[in-house]
Amino acid sequence: MLILLAVSPIVIGFFYYVMVQLPVIGMIWMYAAPFTVLYYWGWVATVFRSHFKSFFKTMFWMNGLGIVMFLLYIWQFVLLKEGEQISVIAVFSQLYTISLGFITTWIGVVLDKGSSLDMQTISVTASVIIEVVSILLMIGAAAIGYFIEENREKKKMESASLTEEQRIEEVEAVFSDRQMEDYELKDIEEAQKQNV
């Protein structure tokens, strides 16, 4: 299950690519996808957190594939010359983060002043910035999900220990009430004995 969850951004990226081609749904999905995917990735972090208590293990197993995909992207679009790319790997390397494109494209274009929003003129630098920002957003969403789950577990443990303490206090209170009644009865008995 964890492997399927770790690979799921690639599957989501594939369906994103297909859905964006549809007339009306594609436009809606293009705007909604980044927020949906980041929320989903935060939820995935809660699942990983329950299996790996360590923050670094969780981040490694969740985002390791994304970093591998980023390295494939660098190989295809930075290290190889134009026209030398292997088309299957070039497309595959973008699937992990393509669903965040609506947010990250703007950031990449703003940070690289030589590009414009016309996809034909985005420079290699801007495209690398887009990929880096996408990976950072995924890691950020995972970290937020991890810490939310960690907080939730701490609160559960605190409430469980509080209820345990309350039970102990209630039991002690019952015993102390009984002890008081016993002392009062003894006092009454002693007083009656002295009167007799």
Side-chain angles (χ1 to χ4, degrees):
M1 184 182 110
L2 293 178
I3 292 169
L4 290 175
L5 287 173
V7 173
S8 63
I10 294 171
V11 177
I12 291 168
F14 175 76
F15 283 110
Y16 172 85
Y17 183 75
V18 170
M19 285 181 69
V20 165
Q21 311 301 321
L22 302 173
V24 177
I25 297 169
M27 189 63 72
I28 295 168
W29 181 236
M30 186 175 73
Y31 296 126
F35 307 104
T36 307
V37 169
L38 290 174
Y39 181 80
Y40 163 76
W41 204 234
W43 172 81
V44 170
T46 65
V47 176
F48 272 80
R49 165 75 174 81
S50 62
H51 287 82
F52 306 109
K53 298 297 181 190
S54 165
F55 175 75
F56 294 107
K57 277 186 183 176
T58 300
M59 292 301 111
F60 174 78
W61 287 109
M62 279 188 69
N63 299 298
L65 181 62
I67 293 165
V68 169
M69 299 297 274
F70 174 69
L71 294 174
L72 282 176
Y73 185 87
I74 295 294
W75 173 46
Q76 288 296 300
F77 293 99
V78 177
L79 300 178
L80 294 178
K81 293 177 184 175
E82 186 83 28
E84 290 181 1
Q85 288 91 359
I86 303 164
S87 58
V88 174
I89 296 175
V91 171
F92 185 70
S93 68
Q94 298 175 61
L95 289 179
Y96 192 84
T97 57
I98 195 168
S99 55
L100 303 178
F102 173 68
I103 297 173
T104 56
T105 302
W106 288 92
I107 296 169
V109 169
V110 167
L111 292 177
D112 181 46
K113 296 182 170 97
S115 298
S116 73
L117 281 176
D118 178 13
M119 293 304 282
Q120 302 295 326
T121 58
I122 285 184
S123 69
V124 173
T125 306
S127 68
V128 170
I129 291 170
I130 290 168
E131 288 298 310
V132 169
V133 170
S134 297
I135 294 293
L136 291 176
L137 283 173
M138 294 290 274
I139 292 171
I144 289 169
Y146 176 90
F147 288 120
I148 286 173
E149 183 62 19
E150 186 178 57
N151 240 2
R152 192 178 302 145
E153 283 181 12
K154 281 181 184 174
K155 284 182 181 175
K156 271 186 191 175
M157 290 174 70
E158 285 172 7
S159 66
S161 67
L162 278 175
T163 54
E164 188 63 33
E165 285 174 13
Q166 287 170 346
R167 277 192 219 127
I168 291 168
E169 285 173 8
E170 285 171 8
V171 168
E172 286 175 352
V174 167
F175 280 124
S176 63
D177 288 345
R178 285 182 185 161
Q179 287 172 346
M180 287 300 290
E181 287 172 9
D182 289 345
Y183 287 131
E184 287 171 2
L185 284 172
K186 283 179 184 175
D187 288 344
I188 292 168
E189 286 173 4
E190 284 178 15
Q192 286 175 350
K193 284 177 185 175
Q194 287 176 359
N195 287 341
V196 172

